[in-house]
Amino acid sequence: CKRITGKYGPKCWQHTMLQDHVKIVPEPGKGLGLQATADIPKGKMISRYRGTVRSLTQKRTDSGYELEAARFIDGKKRSRIIDGAKTNSSIARYANDCKRPNQKHSTPLQCNSRFAENMQAGNWQDVISLKAQKKIKKGKFINVSYGKEYFT
């Protein structure tokens, strides 16, 4: 692709969406969301979570897109923050929270995906991925738990 606009992935966001069988569309009551364009089987990786990698000691940005990641380097566990706010090649950041009610739903939605860590990953950009927790049918929105720390 000649339109690579994100430095964290090998493809632009349009090609990433085609490959990952998802699209970014408005989700009622939540802003932009991630919708399946094909059935996604349980356990399938939907997309990598990529972004700016910072140490835990660096100041948080309150971007709303920061995830803590861990991996083993030389046999020792190391942790970093991955901030997906300033990249358009990390479409996993568009998965909305399933636990928090919104204007349309008075009760929380059921989570159909989760953030998974690969602590053996070769680089920080491949540590976190969004995986299907159950089969996600075409047309359904992809929802993940942001964790209770997100809303504190």
Side-chain angles (χ1 to χ4, degrees), residues 134-147:
K134 56 175 79 172
K135 180 180 178 181
I136 302 170
K137 294 187 181 218
K138 179 181 177 178
K140 293 292 184 185
F141 282 95
I142 296 164
N143 297 297
V144 64
S145 174
Y146 287 0

Side-chain angles (χ1 to χ4, degrees), residues 23-43:
K23 63 182 177 179
I24 300 167
V25 294
E27 185 173 355
K30 290 196 171 201
L32 293 177
L34 204 56
Q35 188 178 45
T37 58
D39 287 351
I40 300 171
K42 178 182 178 178

Side-chain angles (χ1 to χ4, degrees), residues 45-133:
M45 183 190 69
I46 298 167
S47 185
R48 300 262 185 230
Y49 192 91
R50 295 186 160 135
T52 306
V53 178
R54 295 192 317 273
S55 73
L56 295 177
T57 58
Q58 287 179 291
K59 185 180 178 210
R60 288 188 172 258
T61 64
D62 294 327
S63 70
Y65 294 101
E66 295 178 323
L67 291 178
E68 187 174 331
R71 64 184 262 238
F72 286 109
I73 302 173
D74 297 327
K76 295 182 182 178
K77 183 179 174 183
R78 310 275 186 195
S79 295
R80 298 284 186 274
I81 298 291
I82 299 177
D83 187 351
K86 295 185 179 178
T87 177
N88 60 7
S89 61
S90 178
I91 59 172
R93 73 186 182 124
Y94 289 99
N96 281 315
D97 184 59
C98 57
K99 299 289 187 188
R100 188 175 193 189
N102 62 31
Q103 296 122 3
K104 189 172 181 174
H105 304 283
S106 58
T107 58
L109 302 170
Q110 228 182 11
C111 294
N112 58 15
S113 63
R114 65 183 175 87
F115 287 118
E117 284 185 286
N118 174 6
M119 294 181 67
Q120 307 301 325
N123 66 64
W124 286 106
Q125 296 299 335
D126 292 333
V127 172
I128 298 177
S129 60
L130 183 64
K131 287 194 173 182
Q133 231 173 250

Side-chain angles (χ1 to χ4, degrees), residues 11 14-22 44 46:
K11 299 176 180 73
Q14 290 100 338
H15 284 101
T16 301
M17 287 193 302
L18 287 172
Q19 175 190 341
D20 295 345
H21 304 293
V22 294
K44 181 176 179 6
I46 298 167

